[in-house]
Amino acid sequence: DGEEEARLSAQGVLLGWPGSYGLVCDIGGASMELAEIAGGHVGRRVTSPLGPLKLRSVPGGKKGRKAHIKAVLEDLAATMGPQKNRLFLVGGSWRAIARIDMERRGYPLHVLHEYRMSAKSISATIDYIEASDPVELRNRCGVSAARMDLVPLACEVLKAVVKTFQPRDIAVSSYGIREGMLYEQMPQSLRDRDPLIESCYFAEAKDARIPGFGKQLYEFILPLFKSAPLERKRLIQAACLLHDVSWRAHPDYRAEVCFDNATRANLGGLKHSERVFLGLALLHRYSNKREGTRFEPMFKLLDEAAIHQAEVLGKAMRFGAMLWLQKNAPMGAMRWFPKKKLLELHLTEAASPLFGEVAQARFQSLAASLGAQTDVRIKG
């Protein structure tokens, strides 16, 4: 049942993007489904014979296929109505096109989930595919021969879909029917949870030396980010939950492992720029330096302000991690006065013995990144 496939595929998208809205377009070998999503629910949905395998049998060559695709999409658009929000692409042929788009652009982060494209970029990539040797291109992009055979036909469909619906932006989803079946079994209370934060809680419980400390660390460093928007505080919370999950890695490579885990892990609810922010913060959890790493090309996905904030976050975690006493024991508090450029540290008497030479150096490194003077107070 094509409409049922459309519903399940759309639910898969909702699993990765709770509360998202737009048009889900799932392409298979023999069909293409559309479903609208809004407010956590799946709305209208349709199925069509626009799969690449089916298009092979359309008479009239490329001209005949173009007319056929246009006619089918006109019928689909009449049923679905205006759909000018985000277009979510689900399916192997779409992912292959996205992978080639990355290659054409020299895009540094090879994660397909949440990869964004524009109509202009898709048009340029279709031209790039037509001008390239298919064998050489698939080898360079890691696309199978069977999939590459379908890409030119999928390009014809995608070009027409974008022209018909004119979405404001286009995102690739690695979540589809399988994830939609999982979503089907979830109560609403579980569906409403943040997939990123839930994944981080799970990782902390499974891999951290001190499960539960991430919450305490988050509360300790949050005063540094009082004016940050909720979207950024969400990433700060995620970083704190993940700050210790890579402790088993060799110390010489721990910073790199942290960055890799954050940027390439199967995490939902993360834009690519947010992946890099999270990875950079965790890199600075273990290293003061980021220059000279193999990750530098990815930093261009962030602006300078975000790079600086990730550095401050990482150094704050690096310092705060040294002040753990025991579960729920008060560490003390930090107070940040940005106008005065003053960073205060209020330590409990129990935590003061932990503020040794290394901890002091880490605190001063944090202050240096903030351009701040420091004031350390120990409560008696």
Side-chain angles (χ1 to χ4, degrees):
D1 184 336
E3 289 193 15
E4 179 66 3
E5 285 187 22
R7 186 181 70 84
L8 290 172
S9 183
Q11 287 187 167
V13 171
L14 288 172
L15 182 65
W17 285 283
S20 57
Y21 55 92
L23 182 67
V24 177
C25 181
D26 184 354
I27 195 167
S31 65
M32 185 192 77
E33 283 73 44
L34 298 175
E36 63 179 358
I37 52 175
H41 299 286
V42 181
R44 290 171 289 186
R45 49 197 183 272
V46 291
T47 186
S48 73
L50 292 183
L53 293 175
K54 275 282 184 72
L55 290 175
R56 283 176 169 172
S57 61
V58 174
K62 189 171 183 178
K63 187 175 180 180
R65 287 195 303 272
K66 183 176 181 180
H68 173 70
I69 292 168
K70 181 181 178 182
V72 172
L73 280 172
E74 285 175 352
D75 289 342
L76 297 181
T79 301
M80 298 301 293
Q83 299 286 340
K84 294 185 181 294
N85 291 312
R86 178 168 298 153
L87 176 65
F88 296 91
L89 299 179
V90 178
S93 293
W94 297 154
R95 291 194 297 273
I97 294 171
R99 181 65 190 86
I100 296 169
D101 188 72
M102 287 180 173
E103 169 70 19
R104 179 188 65 81
R105 293 174 56 195
Y107 191 77
L109 180 57
H110 295 168
V111 174
L112 287 168
H113 187 64
E114 254 284 13
Y115 178 62
R116 302 294 180 91
M117 296 182 287
S118 65
K120 185 177 180 181
S121 177
I122 285 174
S123 180
T125 295
I126 290 172
D127 292 342
Y128 178 73
I129 291 169
E130 290 176 349
S132 299
D133 176 82
V135 175
E136 191 272 336
L137 184 60
R138 73 174 179 81
N139 287 335
R140 200 164 67 242
C141 297
V143 178
S144 70
R147 180 67 67 192
M148 196 68 198
D149 285 344
L150 301 179
V151 163
L153 295 169
C155 284
E156 294 177 19
V157 178
L158 182 56
K159 188 174 184 178
V161 167
V162 172
K163 183 178 180 180
T164 299
F165 291 103
Q166 299 180 4
R168 65 174 174 82
D169 73 349
I170 301 155
V172 177
S173 174
S174 295
Y175 294 2
I177 290 177
R178 285 174 296 184
E179 290 77 16
M181 294 176 71
L182 175 62
Y183 189 85
E184 185 98 334
Q185 307 303 315
M186 295 164 62
Q188 191 61 46
S189 59
L190 191 55
R191 293 178 181 181
D192 291 339
R193 294 185 187 180
D194 186 326
L196 171 63
I197 299 303
E198 293 302 311
S199 295
C200 293
Y201 272 127
F202 177 79
E204 184 193 37
K206 182 170 69 75
D207 294 324
R209 285 172 289 188
I210 312 166
F213 180 62
K215 180 177 182 293
Q216 196 172 350
L217 181 61
Y218 174 62
E219 292 169 352
F220 178 70
I221 70 174
L222 193 57
L224 300 178
F225 306 99
K226 286 185 293 188
S227 62
L230 288 176
E231 293 83 0
R232 185 50 53 85
K233 288 180 179 177
R234 171 178 176 261
L235 297 181
I236 294 167
Q237 182 184 5
C240 290
L241 293 171
L242 295 176
H243 88 281
D244 191 48
V245 300
S246 299
W247 67 272
R248 292 181 179 86
H250 190 282
D252 290 351
Y253 302 102
R254 202 171 285 158
E256 292 190 13
V257 169
C258 283
F259 190 95
D260 258 340
N261 285 348
T263 53
R264 303 182 195 279
N266 185 19
L267 297 171
L270 269 182
K271 301 174 188 175
H272 279 201
S273 59
E274 292 173 332
R275 283 180 179 270
V276 176
F277 178 89
L278 190 57
L280 186 55
L282 290 167
L283 183 150
H284 278 298
R285 157 68 177 90
Y286 288 105
S287 174
N288 284 328
K289 289 183 61 180
R290 60 179 173 271
E291 295 79 14
T293 70
R294 58 189 172 90
F295 307 120
E296 279 193 84
M298 297 186 205
F299 300 162
K300 69 181 183 181
L301 298 183
L302 302 175
D303 59 28
E304 287 300 320
I307 289 173
H308 178 255
Q309 195 170 54
E311 176 185 320
V312 170
L313 171 56
K315 289 186 175 184
M317 293 190 294
R318 185 170 170 81
F319 167 62
M322 298 198 71
L323 300 181
W324 184 83
L325 290 165
Q326 58 187 16
K327 189 173 182 180
N328 298 324
M331 301 161 55
M334 283 195 293
R335 298 179 66 191
W336 168 230
F337 302 92
K339 290 183 179 179
K340 296 180 181 179
K341 289 291 183 180
L342 175 64
L343 179 62
E344 288 185 359
L345 174 63
H346 297 250
L347 286 175
T348 61
E349 189 173 9
S352 62
L354 300 175
F355 193 59
E357 183 179 347
V358 175
Q360 290 174 33
R362 291 185 179 184
F363 182 63
Q364 290 301 324
S365 179
L366 169 61
S369 290
L370 290 167
Q373 299 294 316
T374 60
D375 181 9
V376 180
R377 305 179 185 185
I378 298 174
K379 298 178 182 178

